């Protein structure tokens, strides 16, 4: 008996002898086959490498392999989203599975191909946090999900919709994973059909074959038979054992919860208080991950309210100070500045530390790439043209050289037209004449950007916009506003009094209603 015969025999025994969610396994296989043969819409399987998506992929693979060659008339795309900050061993496991699926599908003549999608280089975690200075993500400012997960997946699906008109997206979502997920699944269900409408992509329908399965049933299936593309699921199981954490599914909308408690989330996740994924792996012997945990915790600490003023600029990326009023019970409201991006000096220090961790791990035998070269180029451009702190010293190549002892092929166009010497000269002249050196830098950058243009339309408007930004120290800016804008202060006081009166009236009204 061949290996393939043994594989099918094991799978046959499992499918014939077990039921899942009160339904015979063979019945689900037939449903998958029937839905596949129903029309010409290609399928896109969302594959995160976790237990649920692996189960769904296995079921579809088995169903497809048992159709005749003539029946396999439409393609099935398997997509895995790599945020570039995934837990290292998960990346290795998923990469191996992707390669095995592509190899085995081609060998068996199955119309299936597996693909990995990535965020754009200027929208990665490090390009935003280190490059633009975005604060570490929180529940209230979760900027990472859309840029790093939703957009790459959506672009892939949109491309298939454009080519084929409609697609069916197959997901490993289960109702018992969370109450919110159960509500989302139920909300978009098409009556009388096993499909649901996609929440945000016209032309896409979702199919969730294991939505009624329990946690135990998923593992019963995975550990009951070999993987149809070869191998087994014990490496996957080893990542989950001794952990009740869920997994990070393929994200296709903003309602999907954070993956921070999952073995399959980002190691940089600061949305959660503690990263139980990394902690669990460290406890199970992967002590080298402690360096990543420490770095993640350092980023998490920057979101502590008492630390924000230390790490973050008092100006937003618009170049202006933005205020908010805070009020405690029984106390008058207080106007406070809303923190902006991280100060550039912290971003530089964090990049140096990240590269140092990467080098030390690789030197000790752990082959990891914590940040890509393309991201370094994106960060370099962001630093050179930062809206508040333009880095004319072009620090990034020097930081990389200090850590790795070598130079990369840094493209000249990444850098600006000025140098550290120019920056030092403007800083000295600015101090002498009471003018912000950063303002002069941005004006010179603007002029350089328009050199050679046949029409310089908008130059004066752009200059005016720069001049209207807040330049100087926080004390200097606030002193200037106090001196030149008394009418704004009066308006703010009137608005605050008006708001307080409205709140008081609202409370009285609620009391009368009660």
């Amino acid at each position: 008996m061949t290996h393939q015969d043994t594989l099918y025999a094991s799978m046959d025994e499992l499918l014939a002898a077990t039921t899942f969610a009160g339904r015979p396994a063979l019945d689900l296989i037939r449903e998958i086959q029937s839905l596949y043969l129903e029309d010409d819409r290609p399928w896109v399987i969302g594959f995160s490498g976790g237990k649920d998506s692996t189960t769904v992929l296995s079921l579809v693979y088995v169903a497809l392999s048992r159709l005749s060659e003539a029946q396999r008339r439409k393609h099935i795309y398997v997509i895995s989203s790599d945020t570039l900050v995934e837990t290292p061993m998960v990346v290795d496991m998923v990469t191996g599975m992707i390669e095995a699926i592509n190899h085995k599908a081609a060998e068996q003549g199955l119309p299936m191909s597996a693909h990995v999608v990535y965020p754009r280089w200027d929208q990665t975690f490090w390009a935003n946090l280190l490059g633009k200075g975005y604060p570490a993500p929180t529940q209230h400012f979760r900027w990472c999900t859309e840029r790093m997960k939703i957009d790459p997946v959506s672009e892939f699906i949109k491309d298939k919709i454009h080519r084929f008109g409609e697609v069916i997206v197959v997901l490993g979502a289960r109702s018992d994973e969370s109450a919110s997920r159960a509500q989302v699944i139920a909300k978009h269900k098409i009556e009388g059909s096993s499909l649901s409408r996609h929440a945000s992509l016209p032309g896409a329908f979702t199919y969730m074959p294991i939505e009624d399965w329990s946690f135990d049933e998923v593992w019963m299936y995975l550990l009951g038979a070999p993987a149809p593309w070869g191998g087994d699921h014990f490496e996957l199981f080893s990542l989950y054992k001794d952990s009740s954490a869920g997994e990070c599914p393929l994200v296709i909308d903003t309602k999907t919860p954070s993956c921070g408690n999952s073995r399959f989330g980002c190691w940089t996740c600061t949305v959660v208080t503690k990263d139980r994924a990394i902690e669990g792996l460290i406890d199970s012997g992967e002590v080298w991950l402690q360096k990543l945990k420490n770095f993640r915790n350092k980023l998490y600490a920057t979101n502590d309210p008492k630390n924000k003023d230390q790490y973050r600029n008092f100006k937003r990326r618009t170049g202006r100070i933005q205020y908010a009023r805070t009020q405690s019970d029984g106390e008058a409201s207080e106007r406070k500045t809303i923190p902006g991006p991280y100060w550039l000096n912290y971003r530089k220090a964090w990049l140096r530390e990240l590269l140092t961790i990467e080098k030390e791990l690789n030197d000790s035998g752990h082959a990891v790439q914590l940040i890509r070269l393309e991201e370094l180029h994106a960060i370099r451009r962001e630093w050179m043209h930062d809206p508040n702190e333009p880095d004319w010293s072009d620090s990034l190549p020097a930081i990389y050289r200090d850590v790795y002892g070598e130079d990369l092929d840094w493209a000249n166009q990444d850098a600006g037209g000025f140098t550290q010497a120019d920056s030092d000269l403007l800083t000295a002249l600015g101090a002498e004449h009471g003018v912000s050196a950063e303002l002069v830098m941005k004006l010179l950058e603007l002029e350089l950007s328009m050199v050679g243009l046949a029409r310089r339309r908008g130059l004066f408007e752009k200059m005016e916009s720069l001049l209207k930004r807040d330049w100087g120290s926080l004390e200097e800016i606030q002193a200037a506003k106090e001196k030149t804008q008394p009418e704004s202060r009066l308006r703010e006081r009137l608005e605050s009094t008006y708001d307080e009166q409205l709140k008081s009236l609202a409370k009285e009204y609620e009391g009368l209603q009660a």
Side-chain angles (χ1 to χ4, degrees), residues 460-489:
F460 292 110
E461 289 82 357
K462 293 176 181 177
M463 290 177 62
E464 183 180 12
S465 176
L466 286 174
L467 292 170
K468 284 183 177 179
R469 292 185 182 184
D470 296 320
W471 298 102
S473 68
L474 178 60
E475 293 75 16
E476 291 170 342
I477 295 168
Q478 290 179 333
K481 288 189 175 183
E482 288 290 327
K483 182 178 180 180
T484 61
Q485 297 182 353
E487 69 282 357
S488 296
R489 299 197 309 275

Side-chain angles (χ1 to χ4, degrees), residues 77-125:
Y77 300 92
V78 180
I79 56 169
S80 177
S81 176
D82 185 349
T83 62
L84 302 177
V85 282
E86 306 289 333
T87 306
M89 54 276 302
V90 173
V91 173
D92 293 340
M93 185 190 70
V94 171
T95 299
M97 292 174 72
I98 292 288
E99 292 174 353
I101 290 164
N102 281 328
H103 175 75
K104 184 61 69 172
E107 184 180 274
Q108 294 181 283
L110 301 181
M112 176 182 284
S113 58
H115 310 262
V116 180
V117 294
Y118 303 94
R120 284 170 31 195
W121 295 118
D122 62 344
Q123 294 299 335
T124 68
F125 185 86

Side-chain angles (χ1 to χ4, degrees), residues 366-379:
H366 299 285
V368 296
Q369 189 171 20
L370 301 182
I371 185 168
R372 305 292 182 97
L373 299 182
E374 292 86 349
E375 294 178 274
L376 294 175
H377 286 290
I379 292 168

Side-chain angles (χ1 to χ4, degrees), residues 1 9 14 20 46 53 82 104 126 150 172 199 233 255 260 318 383 390 402 425 489:
M1 183 179 288
L14 175 67
F20 299 94
S53 64
D82 185 349
K104 184 61 69 172
W126 299 123
I150 296 176
H233 301 296
K255 296 181 177 62
T318 59
W383 287 4
D402 289 346
L425 176 61
R489 299 197 309 275

Side-chain angles (χ1 to χ4, degrees), residues 348-511:
K348 291 179 181 180
W350 291 334
L351 176 62
R352 182 184 297 275
E353 183 175 355
L354 182 67
L355 289 171
T356 301
I357 292 172
E358 180 184 82
K359 184 176 187 300
E360 289 175 351
L361 289 178
N362 278 280
D363 288 346
S364 63
H366 299 285
V368 296
Q369 189 171 20
L370 301 182
I371 185 168
R372 305 292 182 97
L373 299 182
E374 292 86 349
E375 294 178 274
L376 294 175
H377 286 290
I379 292 168
R380 184 191 184 200
R381 287 191 293 271
E382 290 291 343
W383 287 4
M384 291 296 300
H385 305 290
D386 189 87
N388 297 317
E389 304 177 88
D391 180 31
W392 281 11
S393 62
D394 194 14
S395 306
L396 197 148
I399 292 173
Y400 187 90
R401 185 186 313 116
D402 289 346
V403 174
Y404 273 98
E406 62 183 27
D407 276 316
L408 297 176
D409 184 18
W410 301 106
N412 290 331
Q413 61 266 30
D414 279 0
F418 304 100
T419 65
Q420 180 64 47
D422 298 324
S423 176
D424 293 342
L425 176 61
L426 288 178
T427 300
L429 291 173
E432 180 181 342
H433 296 281
V435 176
S436 168
E438 288 81 8
L439 169 59
V440 179
M441 290 179 182
K442 298 307 293 184
L443 288 170
L444 289 171
E445 282 183 359
L446 173 60
E447 171 61 24
L448 182 65
S449 70
M450 304 194 81
V451 168
L453 296 181
R455 301 181 65 183
R456 291 159 61 90
R457 176 182 294 178
L459 173 62
F460 292 110
E461 289 82 357
K462 293 176 181 177
M463 290 177 62
E464 183 180 12
S465 176
L466 286 174
L467 292 170
K468 284 183 177 179
R469 292 185 182 184
D470 296 320
W471 298 102
S473 68
L474 178 60
E475 293 75 16
E476 291 170 342
I477 295 168
Q478 290 179 333
K481 288 189 175 183
E482 288 290 327
K483 182 178 180 180
T484 61
Q485 297 182 353
E487 69 282 357
S488 296
R489 299 197 309 275
L490 175 61
R491 186 183 305 112
E492 287 178 359
R493 285 197 295 270
L494 289 173
E495 288 176 352
S496 177
T497 302
Y498 180 65
D499 288 342
E500 290 171 5
Q501 289 175 343
L502 281 178
K503 291 177 182 177
S504 177
L505 288 172
K507 288 182 179 179
E508 290 181 17
Y509 178 74
E510 289 174 2

